[in-house]
Amino acid sequence: MARSKRALFSIGFVPSVFYGQLPMLVRDLRQMDNVELSLAELTTVQQVQALKAGRIDMGFGRLRIDDPDVEQEILFDEPLIAALSSGHPLEGTTPTCEELARYPLILFPAKPRPSLADMVLGIFRRQGLKVEVVQEANEVQTALSLVASGIGITLVPEQVKRVQRDGITYVALADKTITSPVICSRRRGEKSSPLMLEANTILNVLVENRRTGRYP
């Protein structure tokens, strides 16, 4: 009976955004007595479809998608960093893309596409660099396990360095303009419910903390 009085609020997300601010949004919403929170791991493309079908209320991803029924807000641009196996020749350096391209590359997610994997390939392609994709993984955790095994290197959003794993080291890139956007998607033109207004207020505070360096 208590649950039936709660308003359902559904959030879709890609795994790589769940290492930074998003868990704090979830935590704050869960503390509200009148909210029944639902989480769904979805690619950005799937989030757009779910928004249009009414299955989620808000989505967090990394791809810009042009759809007349969905509005996207870039919350901030997040640096990409390289994940290397411990003892890797590039450990302790600030590598260029040319240096990274000399080593086998692990991509994620393998599917569905387009995804962060295509964004990473585009970074090397725009610089005229060829890379050897040695393995594709569906999950960032799987990709990191492959890196720790010495199979190759991978590029991950900066938030992922919060994952401290044996056999993994993270290094910043020489080119600081190599970033990935964190994008919030909502239904376009929909009147915001009180719950959506509350979620947006919490989100704005978290994003401002990120932009001003108060990154928890």
Side-chain angles (χ1 to χ4, degrees):
M1 290 178 61
R3 291 184 62 175
S4 67
K5 297 178 181 179
R6 296 179 178 179
L8 178 64
F9 193 78
S10 299
I11 296 176
F13 65 94
V14 297
S16 65
V17 305
F18 215 77
Y19 299 100
Q21 313 302 85
L22 186 54
M24 298 172 198
L25 171 64
V26 171
R27 178 200 63 195
D28 289 352
L29 289 175
R30 282 177 57 85
Q31 290 176 349
M32 299 172 62
D33 293 334
N34 62 335
V35 177
E36 182 72 21
L37 193 62
S38 172
L39 300 175
E41 184 178 319
L42 302 169
T43 68
T44 307
V45 174
Q46 291 169 334
Q47 288 173 32
V48 169
Q49 297 167 348
L51 281 166
K52 294 168 69 171
R55 295 194 301 270
I56 64 172
D57 301 291
M58 180 181 283
F60 294 91
R62 294 187 180 276
L63 293 182
R64 298 175 179 87
I65 295 179
D66 187 18
D67 190 295
D69 298 322
V70 175
E71 63 178 19
Q72 290 191 307
E73 176 190 3
I74 298 178
L75 302 179
F76 53 85
D77 288 309
E78 181 179 6
L80 292 183
I81 60 176
L84 315 170
S85 58
S86 297
H88 192 278
L90 294 179
E91 184 175 0
T93 70
T94 308
T96 63
C97 285
E98 184 176 4
E99 290 172 316
L100 292 172
R102 298 171 188 164
Y103 298 92
L105 183 66
I106 297 165
L107 287 179
F108 71 92
K111 58 183 180 180
R113 306 285 273 272
S115 67
L116 181 65
D118 301 286
M119 192 180 301
V120 169
L121 289 175
I123 291 169
F124 292 100
R125 191 180 301 118
R126 286 190 294 272
Q127 297 193 29
L129 298 170
K130 293 184 178 181
V131 292
E132 176 195 359
V133 178
V134 68
Q135 185 75 43
E136 295 187 2
N138 283 330
E139 305 291 342
V140 60
Q141 293 287 358
T142 306
L144 292 176
S145 294
L146 294 170
V147 170
S149 300
I151 292 175
I153 67 172
T154 193
L155 295 186
V156 298
E158 185 183 46
Q159 294 179 27
V160 177
K161 71 181 181 183
R162 291 166 169 263
V163 182
Q164 298 298 322
R165 297 189 54 164
D166 292 339
I168 294 283
T169 184
Y170 300 101
V171 295
L173 306 185
D175 187 347
K176 305 304 180 187
T177 67
I178 296 177
T179 60
S180 170
V182 175
I183 299 174
C184 180
S185 299
R186 307 175 182 88
R187 280 183 288 275
R188 189 184 302 276
E190 183 175 84
K191 183 179 180 181
S192 296
S193 65
L195 187 50
M196 177 65 80
L197 292 174
E198 182 66 25
N200 287 337
T201 299
I202 297 170
L203 184 61
N204 288 339
V205 172
L206 295 174
V207 171
E208 183 60 24
N209 287 344
R210 172 65 170 79
R211 289 175 174 168
T212 56
R214 297 192 299 274
Y215 191 69

